[in-house]
Amino acid sequence: MLSLLSLLPCALAADEPALPEQQVKAAYILNFTRYASWPATTLADPRAPLVVCVIGQDAGDIARRLQSRAAGSHPLELRTITRNEEGDGCHTLYIGASEKARQGALLARLRDQAILTIGDSTSFLADGGMINLMLVDGTIRFEVNLAAAKRSGMSLNPRVLALAERVLGGASK
């Protein structure tokens, strides 16, 4: 949990060089995969790869930053996807802001599947996504749709929920 706490919130002082936005997003995505729980049947083998799919304009950069990383005993397997149908087989799906027009249909199709969905658009949670990354006072923060996570059989560590700016379907700050 210390690695999660060191990144959240990612406040950057004015005299420190700012981290590239994709680097911060990749760090959040990595930590969310480490502190999310899938149904037991989804990742039954403790050494099975955890498939992280990314879609959107900045997807390739985020995927490169996640290369050779692991979520616990699960090595990350990265896939950059371009079509909604390619979301099958993912354990985690990051949907970039450039996909806002398609995100509602994609999230509706994946609604009951145990896929941790992460995005960064103002309508992401309303469209059924689980974790939305957002810029607050120059810092990347996040909000959670707990009802969407529960509906898919996923759960998030309570400490992650405590760090969220807002939790829909749970306690508010």
Side-chain angles (χ1 to χ4, degrees):
M1 186 50 88
L2 290 177
S3 65
L4 180 66
L5 293 175
S6 71
L7 291 171
L8 308 173
C10 236
L12 301 174
D15 58 341
E16 294 177 18
L19 293 174
E21 187 175 337
Q22 283 68 33
Q23 183 177 348
V24 175
K25 287 179 181 180
Y28 270 92
I29 293 166
L30 176 63
N31 282 312
F32 293 141
T33 64
R34 290 177 172 167
Y35 297 102
S37 296
W38 285 261
T41 56
T42 302
L43 287 167
D45 179 353
R47 301 272 180 224
L50 191 143
V51 180
V52 177
C53 300
V54 293
I55 185 170
Q57 281 182 326
D58 55 358
D61 191 32
I62 288 174
R64 279 189 295 284
R65 294 174 187 280
L66 292 171
Q67 286 293 339
S68 304
R69 304 306 297 258
S73 63
H74 301 282
L76 298 187
E77 178 182 314
L78 284 297
R79 294 183 192 163
T80 301
I81 61 175
T82 57
R83 295 186 333 254
N84 291 354
E85 298 77 33
E86 294 177 353
D88 297 329
C90 302
H91 296 111
T92 299
L93 174 62
Y94 167 76
I95 303 172
S98 63
E99 300 300 311
K100 184 177 180 178
R102 298 188 316 159
Q103 83 183 8
L106 178 56
L107 291 168
R109 196 174 70 72
L110 301 175
R111 176 184 165 107
D112 297 322
Q113 296 182 40
I115 298 173
L116 178 64
T117 55
I118 304 167
D120 60 3
S121 74
T122 55
S123 62
F124 192 75
L125 296 187
D127 285 345
M130 293 179 202
I131 300 174
N132 183 51
L133 300 172
M134 57 191 181
L135 197 59
V136 177
D137 297 327
T139 302
I140 301 223
R141 303 287 301 176
F142 67 96
E143 55 188 353
V144 175
N145 181 339
L146 194 54
K150 288 179 180 178
R151 182 178 52 246
S152 70
M154 302 279 309
S155 63
L156 298 168
N157 186 300
R159 292 180 185 162
V160 171
L161 298 176
L163 294 171
E165 284 287 305
R166 178 172 71 129
V167 178
L168 297 178
S172 297
K173 281 190 168 184

